[in-house]
C-alpha cells in the first residue's frame, strides 16, 4: 500500500510537471510578439518593458520556464494586464463557487443514483429496471446546455427562481439562502449529467456482483436482502463508480463553464470564458494550469479512495 | 481450475444464453433516423426547403404552421429549414472529428497492443499524460486563439483531442483479443504481422470500435453545441443546432419553439447514436472489455 | 411420518428444472433420500451430474428466477420447497448452513473475515458486538486457524486457500446449524490441505452433533467419512446404499466406472487410470432411456429406449437404477 502510494505520488508530480510545461508554452505557441499578445496592441512601452522583464524574455526559454515555475510555486501566477488584478486572487475568488456547485451536484447525483441502481439491480430487466434504464438512457443524450434551457423554460420562468445575471449570484457567506437559490439550477443541471453516469455504472456492476458466489454465501447466512445489497454487494461494486466519479468530477471542474456561462455564475469556467473573450492570456494560462492540476489531483484522490474501498487493487 | 468447471455447471447453462442479444426494432428505427438526417444534410440544397438565411420580417417568431413547419425565429427565418441545414454542421463535426481520431488512434493503439515492448510503453505513457489534460479546456483554448474559426479547424482540433481516448479504447480491446487462441495460432502458423493485424485483429476489435465510434460522434456533436454557446463554433448566420439553441436564449419567453425544435433535433440524433452504439455493444457482448 | 421425527432431512421426489433459452433443463430429477441426525451422507458424481444444484435446492438456495422446483424437502420438519424467502432465511445459518466449494470466490473480498463471521452472530443470534467478536475468534480457533485474533482483522486476500476454507467453515458453523451442506469443500485446495479440511469437518461433526451432506466428485473423499453414498448421473440417483455396499457390492456400471477412474493406493505404480469414455449428456437433450447408456459397455437396446427406475438390491437400503446390473458375486477391489 505504502509503495503504491509513493509510486502514485511520483507519477502525480511527473504529470503536474508536464502540465506546467504545457500551460507555460500555451502563450508561446501563439504567433507574434508575446508582450503584444498578452497586453494587446495598445499597450504602453512601459508596460511592455515591465512584462518583458517579468517574463524574463531576454533569457533562454528554459530559464523563462523556471522563472515562471518559481513564481507559480510562490503562488504568483502573474497580474492580469486587462483587469490589473493578480491572477491568483481572481482564481481564489472564483474557485469556491465551482467547488460549492460541484459539491451540491454530487450530493444530489449520488443520493438519486445509488438507491435507484440498487433497486434496478435487484431485478434486472424487471419493470422498474426498464423504466429507470430507459429514463437514464434518454437523459444521457441531453447535453447540459439543453437541460438548462429546458429547466429555465419550464421551471424557472414559471416559478420565478433566479436563473440569469451575475447580479443574482450571492456569496454563501453573505446570504446562504439566496446563495442556494442561485445554485439550484446549475447544481441540478450538473447533477442530472452525473446521475446518469453513476446510475448506469453502478447498476451494471451491481448486477455482476450479485452473480458472485459470495453473495450466495451471504444469502445462505440468512441475512436480509437489504443487508446483502448494502453490506455485501455495494462496496465491491463501487470501484467503477468511484472511477467514474473521479473522471466526472474532474470533468465538471474543467467543463463547468457551460453551466456557469449560461447562468452567469462567476466561477472559474465563467472567468475563463470571459478571459478568453478579453484576450486576457495570463488569466487563461493561470486557469488552465489550476484546472488541469485540479483534475489530476481529483483523479489521484479517487484512485486512493478506490484502494481503500477495494483492498484487492493495490495488491495486484 | 476445477472450480471453473463447476461454476459453469451452475451458471452458464442458466444465465448465459448462447444466442446474441437481438438488435430489436428500435435499433432499426434509430438507424433509419440517422440515415434520414444524413439524407437531409446531403440533399438540403435540392430539397424544397426555404432559404435558411432568408429573413421574412413579415413573419417573426411565429409558431408552427403549414407554411413554416416549425415556425420562424426572431428575424423571420424558417426554423425547419435551418434545422435541416444545421444538421450539416453537426454531422460534419461529429463524423469528421472521429474520422481523424480513429484514423490516428486505431493504428497506434493496435500496433502498441500487438507489438508491446518499448513502443507500447512510450506510446501509452505519452497518451496517458495527454489524457491527464482536460481536453475540453485545451480545445477551447486552442479554438479561441486560432482565428478565424472555420468548420475544418473545429474538426481538426476536436479530432486530435480525441486521439488519446480512441488510442486507449483500441489498445485495451486489441490486448484482450490478441491473447485469444486463434491469434496465437495465426502467429504460430507464420502469418505476417500485417496479415494478423488486418485480417485477424481488426475484424475482432471492429465491434468495439464501431460502438465507441458512434458514442464518440454523439459526444463530439454535443461538444459542438457547447462551443456554439461560447461563440466558438461556426459563426452565424450559418445555422447549426448549437447556434440555433444559443440564439433562442434571448427570446425564450417569447418564442419557445426556437429552443425546442433544434433541441429536439439534437437530442433525438444523439439518442439514436447512443442507442445504436449501446445495442451493438450488447449484441457483440463486448461489455467485459472494460473501456 | 415418523421419518420426520427421526430423520433430520427427508428429500422426496425432488426435481429442479431451469428455464433456459434452449428449453427446460432438468438439472435434478426425482431425487429421494433421507439423512439421520449425526449422520454423514456422500453425494457423488461427475461435474454436471446435478449434485451442486441438488445441494442448493435442498437448502432452498437456488436462483430466484427461471427455476422450477417440485417434490419435497423436509428439513427438521420444515418444508423447504415452495417456502418463502423469509421462511427459509429463518432456517439458514441456524438449521442448515453451507460450506461453499471455492474459498477464493465465496468470501466477500472487501470485508474483513472477522466481520463476515460476526455478521451471522449479530444479525441471526442477536449477539452484542463484543460477544460476537469473542465468539468469532473462538470459531476461528475451532477451525484451526493460528493466532485467530489477528486473522479476525484480515481480508480474505491476505489468507491462503486452506485458511480461507477454514474461515468459510467457521462462518457456516457460526449459527450452530444442525445440518451442514459441504459442496465440494476441498476442490479448490491443494491435496495436502484437502485431507486437513476433511478431517476437520469430520471432527467438528462429532463435536457439534451435526449431520453433514458431503458433495464431491471424488469417491476417495467419501470412502472413510460417510455412512451412506448417493451416486448421481445426469441429475438422477443411479445408485444409493451404505458406503460399504456402494464400494464393494455396487451394481451400476457407472459406479464401477467412477471407482475405476479414481486413483487408489493399492494400485501398482504407473497403473493407468481408466477414464470413462465419452462425456456427460447434454441435459437439454436427454434420451428416453438410461442417460448413461451411450457411455456404457453393457448397454443394450432396452437401455437406450427405456429408463430404469431405482430397484432394491439384496442389501437393505441399497438400490440401483440399471437394466443390466453387474453381478452380485463380484467382490471387487479392496
Amino acid at each position: 500500500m505504502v509503495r503504491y502510494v509513493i509510486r502514485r505520488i511520483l507519477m502525480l508530480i511527473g504529470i503536474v510537471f508536464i502540465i506546467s510545461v504545457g500551460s507555460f508554452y500555451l502563450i508561446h505557441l501563439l504567433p507574434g510578439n508575446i508582450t503584444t499578445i498578452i497586453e494587446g496592441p495598445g499597450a504602453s512601452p512601459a508596460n511592455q518593458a515591465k512584462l518583458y522583464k517579468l517574463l524574463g524574455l531576454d533569457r533562454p526559454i528554459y530559464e523563462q520556464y523556471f522563472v515562471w515555475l518559481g513564481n507559480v510555486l510562490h503562488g504568483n501566477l502573474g497580474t492580469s494586464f486587462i483587469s490589473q488584478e493578480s491572477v491568483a486572487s481572481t482564481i481564489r475568488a472564483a474557485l469556491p463557487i465551482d467547488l460549492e456547485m460541484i459539491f451540491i451536484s454530487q450530493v444530489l447525483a449520488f443520493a438519486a443514483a445509488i438507491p435507484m441502481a440498487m433497486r434496478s439491480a435487484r431485478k434486472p430487466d424487471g419493470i422498474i429496471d426498464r423504466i429507470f434504464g430507459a429514463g437514464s438512457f434518454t437523459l444521457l443524450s441531453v447535453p447540459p446546455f439543453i437541460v438548462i434551457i429546458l429547466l429555465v423554460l419550464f421551471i424557472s420562468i414559471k416559478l420565478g427562481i433566479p436563473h440569469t445575471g451575475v447580479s443574482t449570484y450571492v456569496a454563501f457567506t453573505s446570504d446562504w439562502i439566496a446563495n442556494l437559490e442561485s445554485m439550484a439550477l446549475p447544481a441540478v443541471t450538473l447533477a442530472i449529467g452525473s446521475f446518469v453516469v453513476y446510475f448506469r455504472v453502478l447498476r451494471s456492476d451491481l448486477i455482476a456482483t450479485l452473480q458472485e458466489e459470495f453473495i450466495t454465501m451471504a444469502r445462505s447466512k440468512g441475512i436480509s436482502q437489504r443487508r446483502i445489497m448494502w453490506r455485501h454487494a455495494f462496496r465491491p461494486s463501487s470501484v467503477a463508480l468511484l472511477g467514474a466519479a473521479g473522471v466526472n468530477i474532474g470533468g465538471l471542474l474543467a467543463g463547468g463553464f457551460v453551466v456557469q456561462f449560461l447562468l452567469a455564475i462567476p466561477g472559474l469556467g465563467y472567468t475563463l470564458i470571459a478571459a478568453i473573450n478579453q484576450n486576457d492570456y495570463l488569466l487563461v494560462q493561470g486557469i488552465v494550469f489550476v484546472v488541469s492540476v485540479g483534475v489530476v489531483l481529483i483523479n489521484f484522490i479517487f484512485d486512493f479512495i478506490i484502494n481503500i474501498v477495494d483492498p484487492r487493487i493495490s495488491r495486484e | 481450475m476445477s472450480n471453473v468447471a463447476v461454476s459453469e455447471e451452475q451458471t452458464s447453462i442458466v444465465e448465459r444464453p448462447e444466442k446474441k442479444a437481438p438488435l430489436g426494432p428500435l435499433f432499426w428505427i434509430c438507424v433509419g433516423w440517422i440515415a434520414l438526417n444524413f439524407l437531409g444534410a446531403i440533399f438540403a440544397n435540392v430539397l424544397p426547403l426555404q432559404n435558411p438565411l432568408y429573413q421574412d420580417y413579415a413573419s417573426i417568431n411565429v409558431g408552427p404552421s403549414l407554411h413554416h413547419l416549425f415556425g420562424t425565429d426572431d428575424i423571420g427565418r424558417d426554423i425547419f429549414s435551418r434545422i435541416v441545414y444545421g444538421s450539416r454542421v453537426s454531422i460534419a463535426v461529429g463524423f469528421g472529428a472521429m474520422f481523424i481520431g480513429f484514423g490516428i488512434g486505431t493504428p497506434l493503439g493496435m500496433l502498441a497492443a500487438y507489438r508491446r515492448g518499448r513502443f507500447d510503453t512510450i506510446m501509452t505513457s505519452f497518451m496517458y499524460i495527454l489524457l491527464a489534460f482536460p481536453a475540453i479546456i485545451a480545445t477551447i483554448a486552442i479554438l479561441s486563439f486560432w482565428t478565424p474559426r472555420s468548420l475544418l479547424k473545429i474538426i481538426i482540433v476536436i479530432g486530435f483531442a480525441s486521439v488519446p481516448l480512441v488510442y486507449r479504447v483500441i489498445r485495451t480491446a486489441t490486448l484482450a483479443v490478441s491473447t485469444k487462441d486463434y491469434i496465437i495460432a495465426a502467429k504460430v502458423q507464420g502469418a505476417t504481422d500485417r496479415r494478423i493485424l488486418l485480417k485477424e485483429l481488426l475484424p475482432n476489435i471492429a465491434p468495439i470500435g464501431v460502438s465507441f465510434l458512434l458514442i464518440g460522434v454523439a459526444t463530439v456533436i454535443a461538444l459542438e453545441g457547447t462551443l456554439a454557446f461560447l461563440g466558438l463554433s461556426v459563426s452565424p448566420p450559418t445555422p447549426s443546432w448549437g447556434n440555433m439553441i444559443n440564439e433562442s436564449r434571448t427570446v425564450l419567453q417569447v418564442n419557445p419553439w426556437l429552443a425546442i425544435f433544434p433541441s429536439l433535433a439534437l437530442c433525438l440524433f444523439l439518442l439514436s447514436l447512443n442507442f445504436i452504439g449501446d445495442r451493438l455493444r450488447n449484441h457483440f457482448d463486448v461489455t467485459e472489455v472494460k473501456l | 411420518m415418523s421419518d420426520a421425527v427421526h430423520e433430520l432431512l427427508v428429500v422426496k421426489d425432488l426435481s429442479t428444472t431451469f428455464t433456459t433459452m434452449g428449453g427446460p433443463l432438468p438439472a435434478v430429477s426425482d431425487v429421494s433420500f433421507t439423512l439421520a441426525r449425526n449422520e454423514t451422507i456422500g453425494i457423488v458424481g461427475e461435474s454436471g451430474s446435478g449434485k451442486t444444484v441438488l445441494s442448493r435446492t435442498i437448502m432452498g438456495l437456488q436462483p430466484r428466477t427461471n427455476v422450477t422446483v417440485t417434490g419435497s424437502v423436509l428439513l427438521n420438519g420444515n418444508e423447504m420447497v415452495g417456502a418463502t424467502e423469509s421462511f427459509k432465511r429463518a432456517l439458514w445459518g441456524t438449521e442448515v448452513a453451507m460450506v461453499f466449494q471455492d474459498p477464493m470466490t465465496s468470501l466477500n473480498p472487501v470485508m474483513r473475515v472477522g466481520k463476515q463471521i460476526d455478521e451471522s452472530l449479530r444479525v441471526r443470534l442477536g449477539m452484542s458486538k463484543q460477544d460476537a467478536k469473542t465468539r468469532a475468534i473462538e470459531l476461528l480457533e475451532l477451525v484451526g486457524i493460528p493466532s485467530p485474533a489477528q486473522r479476525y482483522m484480515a481480508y480474505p486476500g491476505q489468507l491462503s486457500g486452506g485458511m480461507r476454507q477454514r474461515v468459510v467453515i467457521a462462518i457456516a458453523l457460526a449459527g450452530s446449524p444442525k445440518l451442514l451442506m459441504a459442496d465440494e469443500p476441498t476442490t479448490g485446495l491443494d491435496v495436502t490441505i484437502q485431507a486437513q479440511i476433511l478431517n476437520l469437518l469430520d471432527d467438528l461433526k462429532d463435536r457439534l452433533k451435526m449431520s453433514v451432506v458431503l458433495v464431491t466428485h471424488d469417491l476417495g473423499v467419501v470412502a472413510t467419512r460417510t455412512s451412506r453414498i448417493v451416486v448421481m448421473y445426469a441429475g438422477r440417483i443411479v445408485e444409493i446404499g451404505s458406503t460399504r455396499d456402494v464400494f464393494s457390492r455396487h451394481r451400476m456400471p457407472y459406479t464401477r466406472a467412477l471407482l475405476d477412474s479414481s486413483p487408489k493406493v493399492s494400485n501398482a505404480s504407473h497403473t493407468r487410470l481408466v477414464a470413462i469414455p465419452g462425456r456427460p449428456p447434454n441435459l437439454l437433450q436427454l434420451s428416453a432411456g438410461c442417460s448413461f447408456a451411450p457411455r456404457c459397455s453393457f448397454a443394450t437396446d432396452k437401455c437406450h429406449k427405456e429408463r430404469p427406475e431405482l430397484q432394491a438390491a439384496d442389501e437393505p437400503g441399497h438400490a440401483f437404477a440399471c437394466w443390466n446390473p453387474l453381478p452380485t458375486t463380484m467382490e471387487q477391489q479392496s
Side-chain angles (χ1 to χ4, degrees), chain A residues 11-315:
Chain A
M11 245 171 85
L12 181 76
I13 293 173
I15 291 176
V16 169
F17 172 73
I18 292 167
I19 287 178
S20 70
V21 174
S23 309
F24 169 75
Y25 259 109
L26 198 64
I27 286 182
H28 290 264
L29 289 177
L30 299 168
N33 183 336
I34 291 175
T35 52
T36 322
I37 290 168
I38 292 179
E39 299 184 317
S44 67
N47 269 348
Q48 285 202 351
K50 200 173 132 200
L51 178 65
Y52 203 78
K53 191 158 168 279
L54 184 77
L55 296 179
L57 289 178
D58 44 349
R59 283 179 271 176
I61 191 122
Y62 63 88
E63 274 188 40
Q64 290 176 35
Y65 167 73
F66 283 109
V67 170
W68 179 81
L69 186 66
N71 285 335
V72 169
L73 289 178
H74 286 98
N76 177 8
L77 289 162
T79 302
S80 160
F81 290 91
I82 309 285
S83 64
Q84 300 300 330
E85 273 176 48
S86 127
V87 170
S89 66
T90 308
I91 291 176
R92 256 199 302 278
L95 187 60
I97 299 172
D98 288 81
L99 297 183
E100 186 194 349
M101 200 171 80
I102 291 173
F103 179 78
I104 298 175
S105 73
Q106 294 309 294
V107 171
L108 293 176
F110 279 113
I114 293 173
M116 283 174 75
M118 289 278 194
R119 190 71 195 72
S120 255
R122 252 161 67 177
K123 273 198 190 130
D125 284 330
I127 293 221
I128 291 184
D129 183 40
R130 276 162 195 263
I131 293 172
F132 285 1
S136 71
F137 201 87
T138 310
L139 285 179
L140 184 70
S141 309
V142 184
F145 54 88
I146 292 185
V147 173
I148 294 175
I149 298 266
L150 294 179
L151 285 178
V152 168
L153 196 57
F154 291 114
I155 297 174
S156 206
I157 290 179
K158 292 224 163 70
L159 298 182
I161 296 174
H163 58 85
T164 184
V166 187
S167 53
T168 58
Y169 174 78
V170 186
F172 189 80
T173 44
S174 60
D175 180 354
W176 64 275
I177 295 179
N179 167 272
L180 288 184
E181 267 185 4
S182 63
M183 278 291 175
L185 221 48
V188 167
T189 307
L190 296 187
I192 289 176
S194 306
F195 158 78
V196 173
V197 177
Y198 299 162
F199 170 79
R200 294 180 67 82
V201 167
L202 181 59
R203 174 192 169 271
S204 78
D205 273 22
L206 272 174
I207 290 174
T209 303
L210 288 174
Q211 308 276 334
E212 296 266 358
E213 188 79 340
F214 66 81
I215 295 295
T216 312
M217 165 88 157
R219 215 176 136 209
S220 82
K221 287 180 181 175
I223 58 178
S224 68
Q225 171 83 25
R226 191 186 181 79
R227 196 181 167 86
I228 290 175
M229 293 301 287
W230 286 98
R231 292 293 178 90
H232 288 272
F234 182 49
R235 200 168 138 182
S237 313
S238 52
V239 169
L241 175 70
L242 285 167
V247 173
N248 186 52
I249 294 176
L252 292 185
L253 187 61
F257 58 82
V258 188
V259 174
Q260 294 180 3
F261 178 74
L262 290 181
L263 296 171
I265 308 280
L268 271 187
Y270 184 84
T271 315
L272 175 69
I273 302 300
I276 288 175
N277 287 338
Q278 294 170 346
N279 295 330
D280 192 343
Y281 293 109
L282 273 186
L283 189 51
V284 172
Q285 182 187 50
I287 293 177
V288 168
F289 178 70
V290 168
V291 167
S292 306
V293 171
V295 170
V296 174
L297 267 181
I298 289 168
N299 280 325
F300 174 78
I301 292 169
F302 271 86
D303 266 2
F304 189 72
I305 299 176
I306 288 172
N307 269 289
I308 294 171
V309 166
D310 193 339
R312 286 171 295 184
I313 290 174
S314 58
R315 272 197 302 274

Side-chain angles (χ1 to χ4, degrees), chain B residues 5-287:
Chain B
V6 185
S7 68
E8 264 172 24
E9 174 189 349
Q10 313 152 2
T11 53
S12 69
I13 350 170
V14 192
E15 275 128 351
R16 267 258 190 98
E18 288 292 306
K19 280 190 207 160
K20 287 178 174 176
L23 291 171
L26 252 175
F27 175 84
W28 294 108
I29 292 176
C30 288
V31 171
W33 181 250
I34 300 288
L36 192 70
N37 274 274
F38 259 98
L39 290 177
I42 295 168
F43 297 111
N45 297 8
V46 199
L47 293 170
L49 292 169
Q50 304 184 21
N51 183 340
L53 303 182
Y54 174 71
Q55 306 175 358
D56 178 5
Y57 290 109
S59 48
I60 281 174
N61 284 334
V62 298
S65 66
L66 265 184
H67 188 59
H68 297 288
L69 269 184
F70 289 173
T72 59
D73 67 5
D74 53 331
I75 46 178
R77 294 176 297 195
D78 182 64
I79 297 180
F80 181 75
S81 156
R82 286 179 68 75
I83 285 178
V84 176
Y85 275 91
S87 67
R88 290 181 162 182
V89 173
S90 293
I91 289 174
V93 172
F95 286 89
M98 283 296 105
F99 182 77
I100 296 179
F102 273 79
I104 301 172
T106 306
L108 288 180
M110 285 181 69
L111 262 182
Y114 181 69
R115 284 267 161 78
R116 307 303 307 268
R118 179 173 293 186
F119 177 71
D120 184 31
T121 314
I122 294 173
M123 206 63 205
T124 304
S125 342
F126 177 67
M127 290 294 182
Y128 275 60
I129 287 168
L130 285 184
L131 274 175
F133 274 101
I136 185 149
I137 290 213
T139 310
I140 288 173
I142 294 170
L143 278 178
S144 60
F145 294 158
W146 195 14
T147 48
R149 284 180 271 283
S150 71
L151 192 58
L152 187 63
K153 281 181 186 168
I154 296 168
I155 291 173
I156 290 173
V157 171
I158 299 179
F160 275 95
S162 71
V163 168
L165 264 174
V166 176
Y167 171 86
R168 185 171 65 177
V169 170
I170 297 294
R171 179 176 171 273
T172 313
T174 313
L175 272 184
V177 174
S178 56
T179 53
K180 294 256 167 73
D181 287 346
Y182 53 84
I183 301 295
I184 296 167
K187 270 190 199 173
V188 172
Q189 286 167 14
T192 59
D193 286 354
R194 186 191 158 83
R195 195 192 150 76
I196 291 175
L197 279 168
L198 293 181
K199 293 280 167 77
E200 306 282 354
L201 287 174
L202 193 60
N204 281 295
I205 60 164
I208 304 172
V210 170
S211 64
F212 182 73
L213 174 89
L214 293 171
I215 291 165
V217 170
T219 314
V220 172
I221 289 176
L223 180 61
E224 185 276 327
T226 308
L227 291 176
F229 269 75
L230 306 177
L232 293 176
S233 185
V234 291
S235 41
T238 312
S240 87
W241 291 341
N243 268 344
M244 294 177 73
I245 300 169
N246 187 27
E247 284 160 14
S248 78
R249 283 194 299 138
T250 47
V251 289
L252 212 48
Q253 299 189 36
V254 194
N255 184 5
W257 303 116
L258 185 50
I260 290 172
F261 284 118
S263 297
L264 215 55
L266 181 60
C267 290
L268 281 179
F269 197 74
L270 297 187
L271 187 63
S272 300
L273 283 172
N274 284 331
F275 191 82
I276 296 171
D278 192 65
R279 268 298 152 91
L280 283 180
R281 210 161 51 182
N282 280 342
H283 184 70
F284 292 106
D285 196 25
V286 289
T287 35

Side-chain angles (χ1 to χ4, degrees), chain C residues 104-130:
Chain C
M104 298 299 160
T105 58
S106 59
L107 287 173
N108 189 331
V110 299
M111 211 184 209
R112 295 181 195 279
V113 297
K115 291 285 161 215
Q116 299 192 45
I117 305 175
D118 275 5
E119 190 171 40
S120 306
L121 299 168
R122 297 193 58 199
V123 177
R124 297 305 315 285
L125 305 183
M127 283 191 188
S128 72
K129 201 170 180 176
Q130 196 48 51

